[in-house]
Amino acid sequence: AQKITQTQPGMFVQEKEAVTLDCTYDTSDPSYGLFWYKQPSSGEMIFLIYQGSYDQQNATEGRYSLNFQKARKSANLVISASQLGDSAMYFCAMREGGGTASKLTFGTGTRLQVTL
Amino acid sequence: DTGVSQDPRHKITKRGQNVTFRCDPISEHNRLYWYRQTLGQGPEFLTYFQNEAQLEKSRLLSDRFSAERPKGSFSTLEIQRTEQGDSAMYLCASSNHNQPQHFGDGTRLSIL
């Protein structure tokens, strides 16, 4: 089974509108972390936001917020007030385990296109 | 604070040749990771160092691949006898304990 599933290969949103990018995950580990990264066409992976499995509140970072629904195993990224510069690939990733947990497992990504 | 630096940005080589990539992590980060990303996919984990110790290797890392981090600072990833299937973006990331990983710009490898 896929550990991270992103079902939207591509999304369009108008400038200044909000958009939700979906991510579901699969793990039996009670301790895990969920991450969202942005990858523009230039290729670098830019960290956006993090949610720990034990965090009580949904994470927020500026225009980014993470809609964490633990029972449904979903961690959707919400981008408010979209800007043209938000056009990029967006990847959801998971780190399983606490302590010395290391590797990230990524989904296949969603390509977001912001239009005028 | 400089970010993660990777060299070269692009490498084109003939099948069968050896290639080596370098990664310089953020200076205070003790963890260093290598990932591989093929077209249309998310990055896949290859290996991970804590200081100079290589603590985890993916089964993707065949015996043609070797990674080192000799002094716990920069790391090198070598691919011997390259094959067409090795064509990909090789990404390096660094972090401290339980902090988000910060990625470099990657090395794009093309095998002719």
Side-chain angles (χ1 to χ4, degrees):
Chain A
Q2 292 288 331
K3 285 187 176 287
I4 295 287
T5 302
Q6 295 181 256
T7 57
Q8 305 155 315
M11 290 282 286
F12 286 89
V13 65
Q14 273 196 317
E15 198 181 17
K16 300 178 187 176
E17 298 293 310
V19 63
T20 297
L21 306 184
D22 294 343
C23 173
T24 58
Y25 60 92
D26 182 30
T27 181
S28 56
D29 200 315
S31 178
Y32 54 89
L34 296 158
F35 302 77
W36 278 92
Y37 284 84
K38 172 184 178 182
Q39 188 175 43
S41 55
S42 48
E44 74 271 29
M45 296 284 286
I46 302 167
F47 165 72
L48 297 178
I49 196 167
Y50 165 77
Q51 180 86 43
S53 58
Y54 294 120
D55 294 344
Q56 296 297 313
Q57 305 277 353
N58 283 348
T60 60
E61 288 286 348
R63 294 186 298 112
Y64 304 109
S65 60
L66 203 152
N67 184 2
F68 181 45
Q69 297 187 46
K70 197 169 183 177
R72 298 177 66 179
K73 293 191 174 179
S74 74
N76 298 340
L77 177 70
V78 181
I79 305 174
S80 62
S82 297
Q83 302 171 357
L84 294 177
D86 293 335
S87 296
M89 284 291 290
Y90 288 81
F91 290 96
C92 180
M94 177 171 64
R95 182 181 64 206
E96 293 175 276
T100 58
S102 58
K103 66 184 179 186
L104 294 177
T105 302
F106 286 83
T108 52
T110 295
R111 182 171 297 282
L112 178 66
Q113 186 68 45
V114 181
T115 61
L116 291 170
Chain B
D1 176 31
T2 57
V4 178
S5 176
Q6 291 190 246
D7 183 70
R9 290 295 310 276
H10 304 275
K11 179 71 177 178
I12 302 172
T13 192
K14 292 182 179 179
R15 185 165 49 95
Q17 297 295 304
N18 299 345
V19 294
T20 300
F21 312 138
R22 177 180 171 123
C23 172
D24 287 89
I26 293 171
S27 58
E28 62 269 26
H29 285 180
N30 60 0
R31 298 183 176 194
L32 187 148
Y33 313 79
W34 286 99
Y35 292 84
R36 181 173 69 187
Q37 185 179 22
T38 53
L39 206 59
Q41 300 296 317
E44 295 175 293
F45 171 77
L46 292 178
T47 190
Y48 149 63
F49 291 85
Q50 183 161 310
N51 300 312
E52 65 274 11
Q54 190 173 18
L55 297 187
E56 188 173 353
K57 291 196 293 186
S58 164
R59 57 181 171 79
L60 292 176
L61 214 65
S62 75
D63 56 5
R64 295 185 299 106
F65 288 69
S66 62
E68 294 182 342
R69 194 182 183 198
K71 296 182 181 179
S73 57
F74 74 91
S75 175
T76 57
L77 178 67
E78 181 183 15
I79 309 174
Q80 296 182 324
R81 305 181 302 281
T82 51
E83 301 174 354
Q84 290 282 352
D86 297 332
S87 294
M89 176 78 88
Y90 290 84
L91 294 164
C92 177
S94 71
S95 76
N96 275 332
H97 176 66
N98 276 347
Q99 295 300 307
Q101 295 177 24
H102 293 270
F103 284 78
D105 291 345
T107 294
R108 184 170 297 281
L109 174 65
S110 298
I111 307 297
L112 301 177

